[in-house]
Amino acid sequence: MRTVPGIDDDSDVYVVTVTVLCRTVRKKDWWFRLPTILLMLLLEAYESIPMAEVHVIGQITGASGFGRSSLFCKWTLQLGGGWRVIEGLAEGQTQADCSEVGDTVSWCHPVDIHLATRGIQGWPRLMVQVYRQDDLGRFDLCGYGIIHIPSRPGHHSVDCPTWRPTGTFAEELRRSFLGGGPQLLSTEFIHSGLERYRLRTIPSGTVRFDLGIILRNFDKYGVMY
């Protein structure tokens, strides 16, 4: 058996041409092998369809609302099982910046990620963790946050609100003078709403993103934008 996948240039229909050499295959063997043959054809036709692509180009512009302190941000890209990174980094960290006027810091940290997928399940998200650095070089958590990458092409300005776990009165008082405070042992609590309901949290500041989105080949999977 020989399979030759091809694409009709006049339409979006994918054509699979099959040539079967029946001389060496007995009739009963042919019907016995038919399910396996059909499965192989379907898989080959599926693999011939180009993957949909998402290109994210932009920056983590900065943050505000965390108070006047030296801040930096760690970020991580989260993907579903059907996604993969073609080019770019899936995580990173900004430099530390101290607010000089008000409580706004500027990072302008570049983000450039090229992704591929065969479906929209598990759409990518960006998770952030903001920390402050004191004069002694110690790091304290300021907030967790997560956003979905925009699903429409073009330029987007996205604000990511953050939150942090709150402790007892004594722990919060110690945090005000000595730093420290409760932190999450697992980042699963950040993107799981059901798990977050079990936590005592308070709102923190806001992280700002400027992102440009480029989409390709999603029409092959019936997704219009």
Side-chain angles (χ1 to χ4, degrees):
M1 182 185 68
R2 183 167 58 95
T3 60
V4 182
I7 301 178
D8 188 355
D9 296 333
D10 297 332
S11 65
D12 292 334
V13 178
Y14 289 80
V15 180
V16 178
T17 304
V18 183
T19 301
V20 181
L21 301 179
C22 299
R23 294 180 180 178
T24 60
V25 180
R26 293 180 299 177
K27 184 175 181 180
K28 63 177 183 178
D29 293 336
W30 165 253
W31 288 108
F32 179 75
R33 299 177 183 178
L34 183 59
T36 303
I37 295 174
L38 293 177
L39 179 60
M40 293 174 59
L41 293 178
L42 290 175
L43 290 176
E44 190 167 354
Y46 181 76
E47 291 295 332
S48 67
I49 303 175
M51 297 184 71
E53 300 178 23
V54 179
H55 202 164
V56 183
I57 308 173
Q59 64 179 1
I60 306 177
T61 307
S64 61
F66 292 98
R68 300 191 61 180
S69 56
S70 179
L71 301 175
F72 67 92
C73 176
K74 295 181 179 181
W75 63 273
T76 305
L77 177 69
Q78 290 192 330
L79 301 172
W83 293 75
R84 63 185 179 92
V85 178
I86 299 178
E87 290 181 316
L89 299 177
E91 60 182 4
Q93 178 179 313
T94 70
Q95 79 279 7
D97 184 62
C98 184
S99 56
E100 297 181 355
V101 178
D103 61 354
T104 302
V105 298
S106 297
W107 292 318
C108 298
H109 179 80
V111 176
D112 190 349
I113 311 171
H114 192 184
L115 307 171
T117 182
R118 294 192 184 276
I120 61 174
Q121 292 80 11
W123 191 265
R125 298 181 291 184
L126 287 172
M127 182 182 66
V128 298
Q129 303 176 57
V130 181
Y131 293 86
R132 68 180 180 184
Q133 182 179 9
D134 62 14
D135 296 334
L136 300 178
R138 296 174 300 185
F139 303 141
D140 291 334
L141 173 71
C142 289
Y144 299 106
I146 191 169
I147 61 167
H148 280 85
I149 290 179
S151 57
R152 294 184 62 87
H155 176 265
H156 303 268
S157 294
V158 183
D159 291 334
C160 176
T162 63
W163 53 272
R164 67 174 181 86
T166 181
T168 62
F169 175 78
E171 290 174 337
E172 292 297 311
L173 183 63
R174 183 178 61 183
R175 182 180 186 274
S176 302
F177 291 99
L178 302 177
Q183 299 185 27
L184 298 180
L185 296 177
S186 173
T187 57
E188 295 292 331
F189 289 89
I190 301 177
H191 54 81
S192 175
L194 295 177
E195 298 292 343
R196 273 199 58 190
Y197 288 134
R198 301 165 53 187
L199 301 176
R200 295 177 53 193
T201 63
I202 58 175
S204 297
T206 302
V207 178
R208 185 174 182 83
F209 293 82
D210 285 321
L211 302 175
I213 307 299
I214 301 174
L215 304 181
R216 183 185 180 193
N217 292 332
F218 275 91
D219 56 331
K220 305 296 183 182
Y221 297 87
V223 178
M224 305 302 295
Y225 50 85

